[in-house]
mmCIF file of all heavy atoms in Angstrom:
data_model
loop_
_atom_site.group_PDB
_atom_site.id
_atom_site.type_symbol
_atom_site.label_atom_id
_atom_site.label_comp_id
_atom_site.label_asym_id
_atom_site.label_seq_id
_atom_site.Cartn_x
_atom_site.Cartn_y
_atom_site.Cartn_z
ATOM 1 N N ARG A 519 -6.561 38.960 3.505
ATOM 2 C CA ARG A 519 -5.674 39.902 3.940
ATOM 3 C C ARG A 519 -6.446 41.283 4.096
ATOM 4 O O ARG A 519 -7.253 41.611 3.224
ATOM 5 C CB ARG A 519 -4.596 40.227 2.785
ATOM 6 C CG ARG A 519 -3.616 41.337 3.060
ATOM 7 C CD ARG A 519 -2.355 41.241 2.122
ATOM 8 N NE ARG A 519 -2.744 41.798 0.693
ATOM 9 C CZ ARG A 519 -2.771 42.998 0.367
ATOM 10 N NH1 ARG A 519 -2.261 43.950 1.247
ATOM 11 N NH2 ARG A 519 -3.183 43.398 -0.776
ATOM 12 N N VAL A 520 -6.371 41.899 5.195
ATOM 13 C CA VAL A 520 -7.145 43.037 5.483
ATOM 14 C C VAL A 520 -6.598 44.277 4.790
ATOM 15 O O VAL A 520 -5.420 44.687 4.970
ATOM 16 C CB VAL A 520 -7.162 43.389 7.116
ATOM 17 C CG1 VAL A 520 -7.943 44.611 7.307
ATOM 18 C CG2 VAL A 520 -7.691 42.080 7.744
ATOM 19 N N LEU A 521 -7.460 44.892 3.902
ATOM 20 C CA LEU A 521 -7.028 46.107 3.180
ATOM 21 C C LEU A 521 -7.528 47.303 3.953
ATOM 22 O O LEU A 521 -6.819 48.283 3.912
ATOM 23 C CB LEU A 521 -7.755 46.136 1.738
ATOM 24 C CG LEU A 521 -7.322 44.854 0.844
ATOM 25 C CD1 LEU A 521 -8.219 44.925 -0.373
ATOM 26 C CD2 LEU A 521 -5.881 44.834 0.536
ATOM 27 N N ALA A 522 -8.545 47.230 4.633
ATOM 28 C CA ALA A 522 -9.100 48.383 5.441
ATOM 29 C C ALA A 522 -10.088 47.830 6.474
ATOM 30 O O ALA A 522 -10.873 46.900 6.223
ATOM 31 C CB ALA A 522 -9.660 49.412 4.557
ATOM 32 N N ALA A 523 -10.149 48.369 7.660
ATOM 33 C CA ALA A 523 -11.100 47.891 8.662
ATOM 34 C C ALA A 523 -11.810 49.043 9.235
ATOM 35 O O ALA A 523 -11.103 50.126 9.773
ATOM 36 C CB ALA A 523 -10.263 47.193 9.791
ATOM 37 N N ASN A 524 -13.022 49.134 9.196
ATOM 38 C CA ASN A 524 -13.890 50.202 9.669
ATOM 39 C C ASN A 524 -14.069 50.165 11.212
ATOM 40 O O ASN A 524 -14.176 49.136 11.811
ATOM 41 C CB ASN A 524 -15.216 50.055 9.052
ATOM 42 C CG ASN A 524 -16.155 51.415 9.387
ATOM 43 O OD1 ASN A 524 -15.648 52.505 9.491
ATOM 44 N ND2 ASN A 524 -17.459 51.092 9.612
ATOM 45 N N VAL A 525 -14.057 51.304 11.847
ATOM 46 C CA VAL A 525 -14.244 51.390 13.316
ATOM 47 C C VAL A 525 -15.761 51.659 13.497
ATOM 48 O O VAL A 525 -16.235 52.674 13.142
ATOM 49 C CB VAL A 525 -13.458 52.633 13.920
ATOM 50 C CG1 VAL A 525 -13.568 52.665 15.437
ATOM 51 C CG2 VAL A 525 -11.962 52.293 13.545
ATOM 52 N N ASN A 526 -16.366 50.791 14.292
ATOM 53 C CA ASN A 526 -17.755 50.875 14.605
ATOM 54 C C ASN A 526 -17.823 50.975 16.175
ATOM 55 O O ASN A 526 -16.972 50.600 17.009
ATOM 56 C CB ASN A 526 -18.505 49.656 14.282
ATOM 57 C CG ASN A 526 -18.704 49.471 12.741
ATOM 58 O OD1 ASN A 526 -19.659 50.087 12.254
ATOM 59 N ND2 ASN A 526 -17.826 48.806 12.021
ATOM 60 N N PHE A 527 -18.951 51.636 16.616
ATOM 61 C CA PHE A 527 -19.244 51.807 18.042
ATOM 62 C C PHE A 527 -19.210 50.495 18.726
ATOM 63 O O PHE A 527 -18.738 50.420 19.950
ATOM 64 C CB PHE A 527 -20.567 52.515 18.174
ATOM 65 C CG PHE A 527 -20.887 52.877 19.630
ATOM 66 C CD1 PHE A 527 -20.098 53.928 20.270
ATOM 67 C CD2 PHE A 527 -21.883 52.363 20.403
ATOM 68 C CE1 PHE A 527 -20.313 54.234 21.556
ATOM 69 C CE2 PHE A 527 -22.085 52.640 21.645
ATOM 70 C CZ PHE A 527 -21.332 53.609 22.348
ATOM 71 N N PRO A 528 -19.768 49.355 18.254
ATOM 72 C CA PRO A 528 -19.761 48.120 18.846
ATOM 73 C C PRO A 528 -18.223 47.601 19.215
ATOM 74 O O PRO A 528 -18.033 46.948 20.171
ATOM 75 C CB PRO A 528 -20.368 47.172 17.957
ATOM 76 C CG PRO A 528 -21.388 47.989 17.174
ATOM 77 C CD PRO A 528 -20.692 49.229 16.964
ATOM 78 N N ASP A 529 -17.322 48.041 18.505
ATOM 79 C CA ASP A 529 -15.991 47.798 18.822
ATOM 80 C C ASP A 529 -15.471 48.324 20.253
ATOM 81 O O ASP A 529 -14.897 47.516 20.984
ATOM 82 C CB ASP A 529 -15.058 48.281 17.706
ATOM 83 C CG ASP A 529 -15.182 47.624 16.407
ATOM 84 O OD1 ASP A 529 -15.263 46.466 16.258
ATOM 85 O OD2 ASP A 529 -15.024 48.373 15.423
ATOM 86 N N ALA A 530 -15.950 49.467 20.447
ATOM 87 C CA ALA A 530 -15.775 50.071 21.841
ATOM 88 C C ALA A 530 -16.541 49.299 22.917
ATOM 89 O O ALA A 530 -15.996 49.066 23.896
ATOM 90 C CB ALA A 530 -16.174 51.594 21.829
ATOM 91 N N LEU A 531 -17.755 48.915 22.547
ATOM 92 C CA LEU A 531 -18.507 48.099 23.619
ATOM 93 C C LEU A 531 -17.781 46.757 23.838
ATOM 94 O O LEU A 531 -17.914 46.258 24.916
ATOM 95 C CB LEU A 531 -19.973 47.895 23.030
ATOM 96 C CG LEU A 531 -20.796 49.271 22.835
ATOM 97 C CD1 LEU A 531 -22.177 48.828 22.262
ATOM 98 C CD2 LEU A 531 -20.858 49.977 24.095
ATOM 99 N N LEU A 532 -17.322 46.149 22.742
ATOM 100 C CA LEU A 532 -16.573 44.882 22.912
ATOM 101 C C LEU A 532 -15.409 45.087 23.865
ATOM 102 O O LEU A 532 -15.115 44.188 24.739
ATOM 103 C CB LEU A 532 -16.082 44.299 21.633
ATOM 104 C CG LEU A 532 -17.120 43.732 20.770
ATOM 105 C CD1 LEU A 532 -16.697 43.535 19.291
ATOM 106 C CD2 LEU A 532 -17.666 42.366 21.286
ATOM 107 N N CYS A 533 -14.750 46.165 23.639
ATOM 108 C CA CYS A 533 -13.455 46.454 24.579
ATOM 109 C C CYS A 533 -13.894 46.624 25.993
ATOM 110 O O CYS A 533 -13.360 46.140 26.996
ATOM 111 C CB CYS A 533 -12.671 47.618 24.097
ATOM 112 S SG CYS A 533 -11.877 47.507 22.540
ATOM 113 N N ARG A 534 -15.133 47.292 26.221
ATOM 114 C CA ARG A 534 -15.659 47.491 27.546
ATOM 115 C C ARG A 534 -16.223 46.304 28.173
ATOM 116 O O ARG A 534 -16.551 46.340 29.408
ATOM 117 C CB ARG A 534 -16.545 48.652 27.477
ATOM 118 C CG ARG A 534 -15.976 50.017 27.211
ATOM 119 C CD ARG A 534 -17.128 51.102 26.920
ATOM 120 N NE ARG A 534 -16.462 52.411 26.724
ATOM 121 C CZ ARG A 534 -17.180 53.451 26.178
ATOM 122 N NH1 ARG A 534 -18.505 53.277 25.742
ATOM 123 N NH2 ARG A 534 -16.626 54.617 26.059
ATOM 124 N N GLY A 535 -16.548 45.372 27.356
ATOM 125 C CA GLY A 535 -17.237 44.174 27.813
ATOM 126 C C GLY A 535 -18.818 44.444 27.950
ATOM 127 O O GLY A 535 -19.431 43.737 28.689
ATOM 128 N N HIS A 536 -19.294 45.382 27.159
ATOM 129 C CA HIS A 536 -20.701 45.807 27.292
ATOM 130 C C HIS A 536 -21.520 45.384 26.080
ATOM 131 O O HIS A 536 -22.597 45.769 26.034
ATOM 132 C CB HIS A 536 -20.799 47.348 27.443
ATOM 133 C CG HIS A 536 -20.236 47.976 28.716
ATOM 134 N ND1 HIS A 536 -19.894 49.208 28.894
ATOM 135 C CD2 HIS A 536 -19.948 47.255 29.873
ATOM 136 C CE1 HIS A 536 -19.532 49.419 30.207
ATOM 137 N NE2 HIS A 536 -19.447 48.223 30.743
ATOM 138 N N TYR A 537 -20.878 44.762 25.145
ATOM 139 C CA TYR A 537 -21.698 44.191 24.062
ATOM 140 C C TYR A 537 -22.577 43.034 24.383
ATOM 141 O O TYR A 537 -22.420 42.360 25.346
ATOM 142 C CB TYR A 537 -20.684 43.819 22.827
ATOM 143 C CG TYR A 537 -21.369 43.787 21.530
ATOM 144 C CD1 TYR A 537 -21.990 44.918 20.912
ATOM 145 C CD2 TYR A 537 -21.336 42.677 20.779
ATOM 146 C CE1 TYR A 537 -22.630 44.876 19.720
ATOM 147 C CE2 TYR A 537 -21.990 42.539 19.514
ATOM 148 C CZ TYR A 537 -22.511 43.723 19.035
ATOM 149 O OH TYR A 537 -23.266 43.684 17.815
ATOM 150 N N GLN A 538 -23.471 42.636 23.391
ATOM 151 C CA GLN A 538 -24.359 41.527 23.753
ATOM 152 C C GLN A 538 -23.574 40.249 23.887
ATOM 153 O O GLN A 538 -24.049 39.303 24.627
ATOM 154 C CB GLN A 538 -25.421 41.398 22.574
ATOM 155 C CG GLN A 538 -26.327 42.577 22.434
ATOM 156 C CD GLN A 538 -25.905 43.449 21.364
ATOM 157 O OE1 GLN A 538 -24.762 43.865 21.361
ATOM 158 N NE2 GLN A 538 -26.774 43.941 20.415
ATOM 159 N N VAL A 539 -22.496 40.091 23.378
ATOM 160 C CA VAL A 539 -21.686 38.881 23.500
ATOM 161 C C VAL A 539 -20.302 39.347 23.949
ATOM 162 O O VAL A 539 -19.892 40.566 23.731
ATOM 163 C CB VAL A 539 -21.556 37.977 22.146
ATOM 164 C CG1 VAL A 539 -22.836 37.483 21.698
ATOM 165 C CG2 VAL A 539 -20.829 38.963 21.076
ATOM 166 N N ARG A 540 -19.645 38.533 24.755
ATOM 167 C CA ARG A 540 -18.413 38.723 25.212
ATOM 168 C C ARG A 540 -17.368 37.756 24.833
ATOM 169 O O ARG A 540 -17.408 36.570 25.279
ATOM 170 C CB ARG A 540 -18.332 38.887 26.757
ATOM 171 C CG ARG A 540 -19.346 40.002 27.230
ATOM 172 C CD ARG A 540 -19.197 40.080 28.757
ATOM 173 N NE ARG A 540 -17.928 40.628 29.299
ATOM 174 C CZ ARG A 540 -17.714 40.842 30.504
ATOM 175 N NH1 ARG A 540 -18.638 40.743 31.436
ATOM 176 N NH2 ARG A 540 -16.473 41.321 30.850
ATOM 177 N N PRO A 541 -16.494 38.042 23.808
ATOM 178 C CA PRO A 541 -15.564 37.061 23.446
ATOM 179 C C PRO A 541 -14.509 36.768 24.404
ATOM 180 O O PRO A 541 -14.220 37.535 25.274
ATOM 181 C CB PRO A 541 -14.875 37.769 22.096
ATOM 182 C CG PRO A 541 -15.050 39.210 22.360
ATOM 183 C CD PRO A 541 -16.350 39.437 23.126
ATOM 184 N N PRO A 542 -14.001 35.572 24.330
ATOM 185 C CA PRO A 542 -12.960 35.218 25.402
ATOM 186 C C PRO A 542 -11.612 35.999 25.211
ATOM 187 O O PRO A 542 -11.251 36.341 24.089
ATOM 188 C CB PRO A 542 -12.700 33.650 25.058
ATOM 189 C CG PRO A 542 -13.072 33.523 23.638
ATOM 190 C CD PRO A 542 -14.198 34.418 23.453
ATOM 191 N N LEU A 543 -11.106 36.483 26.358
ATOM 192 C CA LEU A 543 -9.839 37.188 26.353
ATOM 193 C C LEU A 543 -8.648 36.262 26.080
ATOM 194 O O LEU A 543 -8.710 35.156 26.450
ATOM 195 C CB LEU A 543 -9.718 37.947 27.650
ATOM 196 C CG LEU A 543 -10.763 38.889 28.037
ATOM 197 C CD1 LEU A 543 -10.636 39.434 29.523
ATOM 198 C CD2 LEU A 543 -10.724 40.193 27.105
ATOM 199 N N PRO A 544 -7.643 36.783 25.355
ATOM 200 C CA PRO A 544 -7.638 37.981 24.553
ATOM 201 C C PRO A 544 -8.365 37.935 23.236
ATOM 202 O O PRO A 544 -8.373 36.804 22.766
ATOM 203 C CB PRO A 544 -6.178 38.256 24.414
ATOM 204 C CG PRO A 544 -5.464 36.850 24.312
ATOM 205 C CD PRO A 544 -6.392 36.048 25.313
ATOM 206 N N PHE A 545 -8.880 39.023 22.706
ATOM 207 C CA PHE A 545 -9.514 38.955 21.396
ATOM 208 C C PHE A 545 -9.045 40.110 20.587
ATOM 209 O O PHE A 545 -8.645 41.156 21.145
ATOM 210 C CB PHE A 545 -11.034 38.868 21.529
ATOM 211 C CG PHE A 545 -11.628 40.103 22.167
ATOM 212 C CD1 PHE A 545 -12.014 41.085 21.361
ATOM 213 C CD2 PHE A 545 -11.802 40.253 23.573
ATOM 214 C CE1 PHE A 545 -12.600 42.336 21.750
ATOM 215 C CE2 PHE A 545 -12.423 41.346 23.967
ATOM 216 C CZ PHE A 545 -12.799 42.457 23.209
ATOM 217 N N THR A 546 -9.278 40.061 19.327
ATOM 218 C CA THR A 546 -9.005 41.237 18.333
ATOM 219 C C THR A 546 -10.294 41.782 18.025
ATOM 220 O O THR A 546 -11.227 41.083 17.377
ATOM 221 C CB THR A 546 -8.268 40.769 17.202
ATOM 222 O OG1 THR A 546 -6.903 40.287 17.575
ATOM 223 C CG2 THR A 546 -8.028 41.808 16.115
ATOM 224 N N PRO A 547 -10.632 43.082 18.293
ATOM 225 C CA PRO A 547 -11.885 43.658 17.802
ATOM 226 C C PRO A 547 -11.674 44.023 16.344
ATOM 227 O O PRO A 547 -10.798 43.843 15.708
ATOM 228 C CB PRO A 547 -12.050 44.960 18.742
ATOM 229 C CG PRO A 547 -10.567 45.316 19.043
ATOM 230 C CD PRO A 547 -9.883 43.865 19.110
#
């Protein structure tokens, strides 16, 4: 159960499709 989730810069890169890996759409960052 998620109590808190930190926001990291890689989360933005994942949204943009610019991270080293690209999860299949749709995905939860």
Side-chain angles (χ1 to χ4, degrees):
R519 181 170 72 90
V520 177
L521 302 176
N524 184 39
V525 179
N526 285 278
F527 188 70
D529 293 318
L531 297 179
L532 284 165
C533 290
R534 292 168 172 167
H536 293 168
Y537 198 60
Q538 294 99 312
V539 295
R540 299 184 67 172
L543 297 170
F545 68 89
T546 297

